[in-house]
Amino acid sequence: MNDASQATRIALVADADAGELLTLRRAAFVTEAQQYDDPHIPPLTQTLAELREDLAREDVVTIGAWEGHRLVGSVRVELEDNKATLGRLAVAPDMQGRGIGTSLLFAILPYLPEQVTEVWAFTGKDSTENLSMYAKHGFEEHHQDAAGALTYTYLRRVLHEVEARSEADAGDATPSSRP
């Protein structure tokens, strides 16, 4: 049962959730693989053991969005000095278009160390919906980089201390409360 009044809960993804996370990512990235005619993109080829290793890394934070007991979205954040890099932003295909991805974008802020001043994201250069979502939320295209036959667009959002802390202090990750 999934009614509109059910709140989305956002929290860290634990090792116990690894199987569900792997399933979510594979379902969410199939359309990306089809768009680029490449079934070998990393979210589709990562093994459960590799995912568990990634979840255990100290420089990686993975958060998920749950509706009831179902994991409906997730994002992986790799931390390096003053930079956080978002990756594998995934929303279950039947839940897309409901603001879950946007909620996850803002929900990462409380998990970032204070020294982080910029957040990076990347997506395929032809993924217009993804590029539009990032641009709508303050990310600016920075550069493109080819990885085999796929070209990624890298986007950056500079965090202003007041903005980052006020969004973090809000603590509410519901889509309706975010810009």
Side-chain angles (χ1 to χ4, degrees):
M1 185 167 146
N2 197 12
D3 73 32
S5 66
Q6 188 171 27
T8 300
R9 176 179 60 88
I10 296 185
L12 288 171
V13 175
D15 183 78
D17 303 311
E20 191 173 5
L21 176 59
L22 190 66
T23 301
L24 168 70
R25 285 182 178 169
R26 288 183 175 170
F29 279 94
V30 164
T31 53
E32 192 93 352
Q34 290 171 332
Q35 179 175 354
Y36 293 102
D37 195 27
D38 185 358
H40 304 290
I41 62 174
L44 298 183
T45 60
Q46 184 177 40
T47 67
L48 182 58
E50 291 168 339
L51 176 59
R52 284 196 155 119
E53 286 175 18
D54 195 60
L55 288 172
R57 287 176 50 185
E58 288 186 20
D59 63 333
V60 172
V61 175
T62 302
I63 60 172
W66 281 265
E67 292 210 357
H69 295 288
R70 180 182 177 205
L71 181 64
V72 296
S74 72
V75 65
R76 176 190 185 276
V77 183
E78 187 167 358
L79 304 169
E80 181 183 354
D81 299 323
N82 71 332
K83 176 180 165 183
T85 303
L86 304 182
R88 307 215 174 150
L89 177 59
V91 176
D94 66 317
M95 301 298 286
Q96 292 175 2
R98 299 180 187 195
I100 294 167
T102 298
S103 292
L104 287 164
L105 279 181
F106 289 105
I108 64 152
L109 294 173
Y111 295 97
L112 301 179
E114 284 189 32
Q115 73 267 20
V116 171
T117 58
E118 53 189 48
V119 178
W120 287 76
F122 61 94
T123 189
K125 74 172 181 71
D126 297 323
S127 299
T128 54
E129 287 182 24
N130 295 347
L131 291 167
S132 176
M133 180 194 62
Y134 286 123
K136 179 180 176 182
H137 299 294
F139 286 81
E140 296 179 0
E141 289 189 31
H142 191 269
H143 68 277
Q144 293 186 344
D145 190 22
L150 184 61
T151 299
Y152 291 104
T153 297
Y154 287 80
L155 305 100
R156 179 178 72 157
R157 178 176 177 204
V158 175
L159 297 178
H160 302 289
E161 190 171 323
V162 172
E163 170 192 2
R165 298 302 155 225
S166 67
E167 287 176 347
D169 292 344
D172 177 7
T174 57
S176 61
S177 68
R178 299 296 183 200

